[in-house]
Amino acid sequence: MLDIASEPVLVALVGLFGGVLLGLAARIGRFCTLGAIEDLYYGENPLRLRMWGIAIGVSVIGTFSLSASGLLELDQTLYLGRIWNPVASVVGGLVFGYGMALAGNCGYGALARVGGGDLRSLLIVLVMGVSAYMALGGPFSGLRLWAFGDVIPADTPPGFAQTAGRLTGMSPDITGIALGCVILALTLMSRSLRASPSHILWGAVAGIAVVSGWAGTQWVASNGYDATPILSHTFSAPIGETLLYVMTSSGNTLSFGTGSVVGVLLGALAGSLFKGHFRWEACDDPRELRRQILGAVLMGIGAVVAVGCSIGQGLSGFSVLAYSAPVTLLSIMAGAALGLRQLIWGFAPSV
């Protein structure tokens, strides 16, 4: 395949494939971060949150199966190749979650809504991408580095499977597969989930999308000549990366993130047309627009600080069983709950 297409094109196609799956999962399967949190907190319905259990279980099993087969170097991934900063995970997760509630969606969810014709979400996507790059290498980067430090390579991968392997003497790959099976089995104990095959299917599709990212980028890195990073899906800096490519494509190259973002848009468009849900929408209330812009700014900054958004840490980071994944995901949920409480009831004490 390297004789047919360049390495940047190949990794972009890998991202495109998984992105399409995620876009379809969002529009047809209603796989959504904020929606799952709202259903749990305010509808007392954990069904969509359990989709995340399916997605995480499938992604963990698939990722560690790749590693056991020699098809993935786990310690080269973003989440296991650097020393974990717990403070950054908590602070970044809280900021991202709070911003997600204000914006009404996460970056991935906003992309999926853009694919369905929502112009409000297009603004969220644009602002989030710019703010993420401002925190990554722009005006906010100095403050971020001062507060949370720079990237430090890890001598020992900060992952649960590696730690369990050192303590028990078992292979981290076997440990990871076993933990993935436990997550999947515990999730499937829910009778309501078992009665809804579509939720199981689309949760599994989201997990497969993450595994495809690891497998594809690892293959290109192992068989190509360039220094290709081993990546899977996340939607914060890649949105800014895509905007940068759109503006400077003649002096820039395609990337996994660009393919992933475009894939979600295409998958969401196909899903919304299939369901008959495509329609143009715009914001009628300037106050709502102001709130959504602020939320998008916070999401971009929070995702960079936490080294991943709800998909980046909540799925891709979880798939390698990184320490940062559950801490960041729980922080995102807490920040979202705080933001939703403010929007619905305000911060006045209850009587």
Side-chain angles (χ1 to χ4, degrees), residues 257-295:
T258 302
S260 175
V261 168
V262 173
V264 171
L265 290 172
L266 292 177
L269 174 61
S272 62
L273 291 174
F274 174 78
K275 298 284 285 187
H277 291 166
F278 184 91
R279 64 180 183 275
W280 295 111
E281 297 181 67
C283 184
D284 298 324
D285 187 345
R287 292 172 300 177
E288 179 185 4
L289 188 61
R290 180 181 60 194
R291 170 175 56 79
Q292 290 176 333
I293 290 174
L294 175 59

Coordinates of all heavy atoms in Angstrom, one line a residue, residues 257-295:
G257 N -5.6 12.9 12.5 CA -6.6 13.7 13.1 C -7.5 14.4 12.0 O -8.7 14.5 12.2
T258 N -6.9 14.8 10.9 CA -7.7 15.4 9.9 C -8.6 14.4 9.3 O -9.8 14.7 9.1 CB -6.7 16.0 8.8 OG1 -5.8 16.9 9.3 CG2 -7.5 16.6 7.6
G259 N -8.1 13.2 9.0 CA -9.0 12.2 8.5 C -10.1 11.8 9.5 O -11.3 11.6 9.1
S260 N -9.8 11.8 10.8 CA -10.8 11.4 11.8 C -11.9 12.5 11.8 O -13.1 12.1 11.9 CB -10.1 11.3 13.1 OG -11.0 11.1 14.2
V261 N -11.5 13.8 11.8 CA -12.5 14.8 11.9 C -13.5 14.8 10.6 O -14.7 14.8 10.8 CB -11.8 16.2 12.0 CG1 -12.8 17.3 11.7 CG2 -11.2 16.4 13.3
V262 N -12.9 14.6 9.5 CA -13.7 14.6 8.2 C -14.5 13.3 8.2 O -15.7 13.3 7.8 CB -12.7 14.6 7.0 CG1 -13.6 14.3 5.7 CG2 -12.0 15.9 6.9
G263 N -14.0 12.2 8.8 CA -14.8 11.0 8.8 C -16.0 11.1 9.7 O -17.1 10.6 9.3
V264 N -15.9 11.8 10.8 CA -17.1 11.9 11.7 C -18.1 12.8 11.0 O -19.3 12.5 11.0 CB -16.7 12.6 13.0 CG1 -17.9 13.0 13.8 CG2 -15.8 11.7 13.9
L265 N -17.7 13.8 10.3 CA -18.6 14.7 9.5 C -19.3 13.8 8.5 O -20.6 13.9 8.3 CB -17.9 15.8 8.9 CG -17.3 16.9 9.8 CD1 -16.5 17.9 9.1 CD2 -18.5 17.6 10.5
L266 N -18.6 13.0 7.7 CA -19.2 12.2 6.7 C -20.1 11.1 7.2 O -21.2 10.9 6.7 CB -18.1 11.6 5.8 CG -17.3 12.6 5.0 CD1 -16.2 11.8 4.2 CD2 -18.2 13.3 4.0
G267 N -19.7 10.5 8.3 CA -20.5 9.4 8.9 C -21.8 10.0 9.5 O -22.8 9.4 9.4
A268 N -21.6 11.2 10.1 CA -22.8 11.8 10.7 C -23.8 12.3 9.6 O -25.0 12.2 9.8 CB -22.4 13.0 11.6
L269 N -23.2 12.8 8.5 CA -24.1 13.2 7.4 C -24.9 12.0 6.9 O -26.1 12.0 6.7 CB -23.3 13.8 6.3 CG -24.0 14.2 5.0 CD1 -25.1 15.2 5.3 CD2 -23.0 14.7 4.0
A270 N -24.1 10.9 6.6 CA -24.8 9.7 6.1 C -25.8 9.2 7.1 O -26.9 8.8 6.7 CB -23.7 8.6 5.9
G271 N -25.5 9.2 8.4 CA -26.4 8.7 9.4 C -27.7 9.5 9.5 O -28.8 9.0 9.7
S272 N -27.5 10.9 9.5 CA -28.7 11.8 9.6 C -29.6 11.6 8.3 O -30.8 11.7 8.4 CB -28.2 13.2 9.8 OG -27.4 13.7 8.7
L273 N -28.9 11.5 7.2 CA -29.8 11.3 5.9 C -30.5 9.9 6.0 O -31.7 9.8 5.6 CB -28.9 11.3 4.7 CG -28.3 12.7 4.4 CD1 -27.3 12.6 3.2 CD2 -29.4 13.7 4.1
F274 N -29.8 8.9 6.5 CA -30.4 7.6 6.6 C -31.6 7.6 7.6 O -32.7 7.0 7.3 CB -29.4 6.6 7.1 CG -30.0 5.2 7.4 CD1 -30.2 4.3 6.4 CD2 -30.2 4.8 8.7 CE1 -30.8 3.1 6.6 CE2 -30.8 3.6 9.0 CZ -31.0 2.7 7.9
K275 N -31.5 8.4 8.7 CA -32.6 8.4 9.7 C -33.6 9.5 9.3 O -34.7 9.6 9.9 CB -32.0 8.8 11.0 CG -31.1 7.7 11.6 CD -31.8 6.5 12.1 CE -32.5 6.8 13.4 NZ -33.1 5.6 14.0
G276 N -33.3 10.3 8.3 CA -34.2 11.4 7.9 C -34.2 12.5 8.9 O -35.2 13.3 9.0
H277 N -33.1 12.7 9.6 CA -33.0 13.8 10.6 C -32.2 15.0 10.2 O -32.1 15.9 10.9 CB -32.3 13.2 11.9 CG -33.1 12.2 12.6 ND1 -32.6 11.3 13.5 CD2 -34.4 11.8 12.5 CE1 -33.5 10.5 14.0 NE2 -34.6 10.8 13.4
F278 N -31.7 15.0 8.9 CA -30.9 16.2 8.5 C -31.8 17.4 8.3 O -32.8 17.4 7.6 CB -30.2 15.9 7.2 CG -29.3 17.0 6.7 CD1 -28.0 17.0 7.1 CD2 -29.8 18.1 6.0 CE1 -27.1 18.0 6.7 CE2 -29.0 19.1 5.6 CZ -27.6 19.1 6.0
R279 N -31.4 18.5 9.0 CA -32.1 19.8 8.8 C -31.2 20.9 9.3 O -30.4 20.7 10.2 CB -33.4 19.8 9.6 CG -33.3 19.7 11.1 CD -34.6 19.8 11.8 NE -34.5 19.8 13.2 CZ -34.4 18.8 14.0 NH1 -34.4 17.6 13.4 NH2 -34.4 18.9 15.3
W280 N -31.3 22.0 8.6 CA -30.5 23.2 8.9 C -31.0 23.8 10.2 O -32.2 24.0 10.3 CB -30.5 24.2 7.8 CG -29.9 23.7 6.5 CD1 -30.5 23.4 5.4 CD2 -28.5 23.4 6.3 NE1 -29.6 23.0 4.4 CE2 -28.3 23.0 5.0 CE3 -27.3 23.5 7.1 CZ2 -27.1 22.6 4.4 CZ3 -26.1 23.1 6.6 CH2 -26.0 22.7 5.3
E281 N -30.1 24.1 11.1 CA -30.5 24.7 12.4 C -29.5 25.9 12.7 O -28.3 25.8 12.3 CB -30.4 23.7 13.6 CG -31.4 22.6 13.4 CD -31.3 21.7 14.7 OE1 -31.7 22.1 15.8 OE2 -30.9 20.5 14.5
A282 N -30.0 26.9 13.3 CA -29.2 28.1 13.7 C -29.6 28.5 15.1 O -30.7 28.1 15.6 CB -29.3 29.2 12.7
C283 N -28.8 29.4 15.6 CA -29.1 29.9 17.0 C -29.9 31.2 16.9 O -29.6 32.1 16.2 CB -27.7 30.2 17.7 SG -27.9 30.7 19.4
D284 N -31.0 31.2 17.7 CA -31.9 32.4 17.6 C -31.6 33.3 18.8 O -32.1 34.5 18.8 CB -33.4 31.9 17.7 CG -33.8 31.1 16.5 OD1 -33.3 31.4 15.4 OD2 -34.5 30.1 16.7
D285 N -31.0 32.8 19.8 CA -30.8 33.6 21.1 C -29.3 34.0 21.2 O -28.5 33.1 21.4 CB -31.3 32.8 22.3 CG -31.3 33.6 23.5 OD1 -30.7 34.7 23.6 OD2 -31.9 33.2 24.5
P286 N -29.0 35.3 21.2 CA -27.6 35.7 21.4 C -27.0 35.2 22.7 O -25.8 34.9 22.8 CB -27.6 37.2 21.3 CG -28.9 37.5 20.5 CD -29.8 36.4 20.9
R287 N -27.8 35.2 23.7 CA -27.3 34.7 25.0 C -26.9 33.2 25.0 O -25.9 32.9 25.6 CB -28.4 34.9 26.1 CG -28.7 36.4 26.4 CD -29.9 36.5 27.3 NE -31.1 35.9 26.8 CZ -32.2 35.8 27.4 NH1 -32.4 36.3 28.6 NH2 -33.3 35.3 26.8
E288 N -27.6 32.4 24.3 CA -27.3 31.0 24.1 C -26.0 30.9 23.3 O -25.1 30.1 23.6 CB -28.4 30.3 23.4 CG -28.1 28.8 23.1 CD -29.2 28.1 22.3 OE1 -30.1 28.8 21.8 OE2 -29.1 26.9 22.1
L289 N -25.8 31.7 22.3 CA -24.6 31.7 21.5 C -23.4 32.1 22.3 O -22.3 31.5 22.2 CB -24.8 32.6 20.3 CG -23.7 32.6 19.2 CD1 -23.6 31.2 18.6 CD2 -24.0 33.7 18.2
R290 N -23.5 33.1 23.1 CA -22.4 33.5 24.0 C -22.0 32.4 24.9 O -20.8 32.2 25.1 CB -22.9 34.8 24.8 CG -21.8 35.3 25.7 CD -22.4 36.5 26.5 NE -23.6 36.2 27.3 CZ -24.4 37.1 27.8 NH1 -24.2 38.3 27.5 NH2 -25.5 36.6 28.5
R291 N -23.0 31.7 25.5 CA -22.7 30.6 26.4 C -22.0 29.5 25.7 O -21.0 28.9 26.2 CB -24.0 30.1 27.0 CG -23.9 28.8 27.8 CD -25.2 28.5 28.5 NE -26.3 28.4 27.6 CZ -26.6 27.4 26.8 NH1 -25.8 26.3 26.8 NH2 -27.7 27.4 26.1
Q292 N -22.4 29.2 24.5 CA -21.8 28.1 23.7 C -20.4 28.4 23.3 O -19.5 27.5 23.3 CB -22.7 27.8 22.5 CG -24.0 27.1 22.9 CD -24.9 26.9 21.7 OE1 -24.8 27.6 20.7 NE2 -25.8 25.9 21.8
I293 N -20.1 29.7 23.0 CA -18.8 30.1 22.6 C -17.8 29.9 23.8 O -16.7 29.4 23.7 CB -18.8 31.5 22.1 CG1 -19.4 31.6 20.7 CG2 -17.3 32.1 22.0 CD1 -19.6 33.0 20.2
L294 N -18.3 30.4 25.0 CA -17.5 30.2 26.2 C -17.2 28.8 26.5 O -16.1 28.4 26.8 CB -18.2 30.9 27.4 CG -17.6 30.7 28.8 CD1 -16.1 31.2 28.8 CD2 -18.4 31.3 29.9
G295 N -18.3 27.9 26.3 CA -18.1 26.5 26.6 C -17.1 25.9 25.6 O -16.3 25.0 26.0

